[in-house]
Amino acid sequence: MRKRSIFDRVPLYLLWALFAVLLTMGLFQLVTDTGRQNKLTLMVNAQEVQDVALMRKLAEDLPDGIRMIKVRPFSYAMLSESSLKEADMWLIRESDFERFLPDFGPVAGYKENHPEHDYHTVKNGEDEIWGVKVYDAASGSGALKEYVGYAPAEGETPEDWYLVFNPSSLHIGKNGQDTAAFTLAERLLTLP
Amino acid sequence: METHELYHELYSEEIGKTARTRLLAWRIVLGVLAAGLVLGMVLFCVNADPIEPGTQQLKATVFLVLGGWLGLFLLFHSLSPASRENKHILRMRQEDGETETYEGRIRCGEKPEYIPGSVPVFRVRLEDDPHDGKALLRKSAAKSFPREGQLKLQIKNGFIIAWQEAER
C-alpha cells in the first residue's frame, strides 16, 4: 500500500477551513453584538450610509442602559430578514410610508413631548402613523447630512426624510421600559 | 579474520525510550499549538471592535484556518507516526512469541510498504530460506540495514528484531 500523501486529506483540510470560518463568525457575533434590551438599531433606507462613522459618533454618548447602537442600511436585511422588523427606528423617505405601512404602528410618548419638530402623519385605519422630519428636501436642511446620502437616484424626485419608531421596540417607554430610542432620536436630530 | 559490526538490537530498551520521548515531544508540540490557537482566538475576540469587527474577524479566521492546517499536518505526519511507532515497539517488546534465527543471504526491498494502522516496513527476502521466507523490517530501523548481504537475523512475529553480519 502506498503512503498517504497530503493530497489524500484535502477534504479534511477544507472541512477544517469551513469549520474555522463558521466558528469565527459565531464567536465574533457573540462578542460584538448584544441583546435587543441593551442595544438600539437604526435602519436607513438609503443607498449611501456612513454607518461606521455614525456608529462611532453615537458610541461617544450612549443613552443609559444601552451598550451599543447599530446603524444598518436596509440592504443589510438581505442577510438577516428579522433585522428590519427588530430595528428600533427606521430612517425613510416620505414615499416609503405607504410601502411600509403594514409594519408601522402607533407610538406614544414622543410626539406629544416634542412639538417643536415637524412630523409627517399617515392614517392606517384608526391608527395615526407618524415620523419626525430629519431632512427637508426643499431647503436642503436637516440632520445627518454627513452620514446619509439624501440625494435621490437619477430621475427621482428629492424627498423629505423621516425617523419612524418601531412600535415593537423595547425602548419606547412601553410597559415600563426605557425611552432610549427617544433619547437617540433627539441626538440624531442634532447631528450635522 | 575480519571483524564485523556489533550486534544490532532493533527493539532495545533505549530504542523504546527514544520512541516514547519522541511521542511525548510531538504531543507537547501539538498541545502548545492548540493552546496557542485558543489563546490567539481569545485575544482576537477581546480586541474585536464592536462597530467594525470585519478586519479583526478576517485576521482571526486566517489565523485559525492556518493554525488548524498546521495542527492537522503535524497530527498526520508527525504525532500519528510517532504514536504508531511507539505502540509497535512496545508491543514487540512485551509480546511473547517464538524467536527464529536465520542466517544467510538477504535482499531488502527498495521501497517501504505502508500497512494501515501500523509502522512502515521494508520487506526483506530471506534468499537462503528453503520456504522462500520473508521478514519485515521496521522502516525507522532500516538506515543501517544493508540492502543485501549475508546476515544473521533474529525474527519474532514476522519482524526482524536483531541482526548482525554473518561470520565468514
Side-chain angles (χ1 to χ4, degrees), chain B residues 2-21:
Chain B
E2 292 177 27
T3 55
H4 295 282
E5 287 187 59
L6 294 173
Y7 186 64
H8 302 273
E9 250 195 82
L10 306 183
Y11 291 88
S12 64
E13 195 179 319
E14 202 181 307
I15 285 173
K17 202 174 168 186
T18 305
R20 274 197 306 279
T21 307

Side-chain angles (χ1 to χ4, degrees), chain A residues 1 12-13 16 24 56 70, chain B residues 49-50 61 64 68-69 76 114:
Chain A
M1 193 175 176
L12 192 58
Y13 284 86
W16 170 260
T24 315
R56 290 210 191 281
K70 297 278 187 190
Chain B
D49 179 359
T61 305
L64 192 60
W69 281 354
F76 293 128
Y114 295 88

Side-chain angles (χ1 to χ4, degrees), chain A residues 1-3 6 9 12-13 16-17 20-21 23-25 27-28 31-32 52 55-56 59 68 70, chain B residues 41 44-45 48-53 56-57 60-61 64-65 68-69 72-73 76-77 113-114 116:
Chain A
M1 193 175 176
R2 65 171 182 83
K3 184 180 180 180
I6 191 170
R9 297 199 167 97
L12 192 58
Y13 284 86
W16 170 260
V21 167
L23 179 66
T24 315
M25 269 172 66
L27 282 175
F28 270 70
V31 299
T32 62
V52 172
M55 280 192 277
R56 290 210 191 281
M68 60 177 63
K70 297 278 187 190
Chain B
M41 288 305 289
F44 276 118
C45 288
D49 179 359
I51 290 173
E52 206 177 8
Q56 278 293 80
Q57 188 175 333
T61 305
L64 192 60
V65 168
W69 281 354
L72 284 173
F73 181 83
F76 293 128
H77 296 273
E113 293 178 21
Y114 295 88

Side-chain angles (χ1 to χ4, degrees), chain A residues 65-160:
Chain A
I66 297 299
R67 285 174 52 200
M68 60 177 63
I69 297 174
K70 297 278 187 190
V71 177
R72 302 265 183 248
F74 267 41
S75 55
Y76 188 80
M78 283 195 291
L79 301 169
S80 167
E81 220 177 280
S82 61
S83 57
L84 256 183
K85 292 202 188 298
E86 287 177 0
D88 297 282
M89 304 146 74
W90 301 296
L91 180 57
I92 57 173
R93 294 164 295 196
E94 192 173 323
S95 58
D96 288 330
F97 271 81
E98 288 298 323
R99 204 169 126 209
F100 296 116
L101 209 55
D103 297 311
F104 293 168
V107 172
Y110 180 87
K111 194 178 171 192
E112 310 86 309
N113 296 327
H114 294 281
E116 69 277 18
H117 298 313
D118 293 328
Y119 295 89
H120 177 68
T121 307
V122 170
K123 280 282 186 192
N124 186 16
E126 284 183 20
D127 295 328
E128 191 184 83
I129 311 301
W130 54 266
V132 55
K133 188 184 261 191
V134 176
Y135 173 77
D136 181 71
S139 62
S141 65
L144 300 176
K145 287 197 291 186
E146 284 182 14
Y147 303 101
V148 180
Y150 291 126
E154 217 172 291
E156 285 184 3
T157 325
E159 293 187 69
D160 296 340

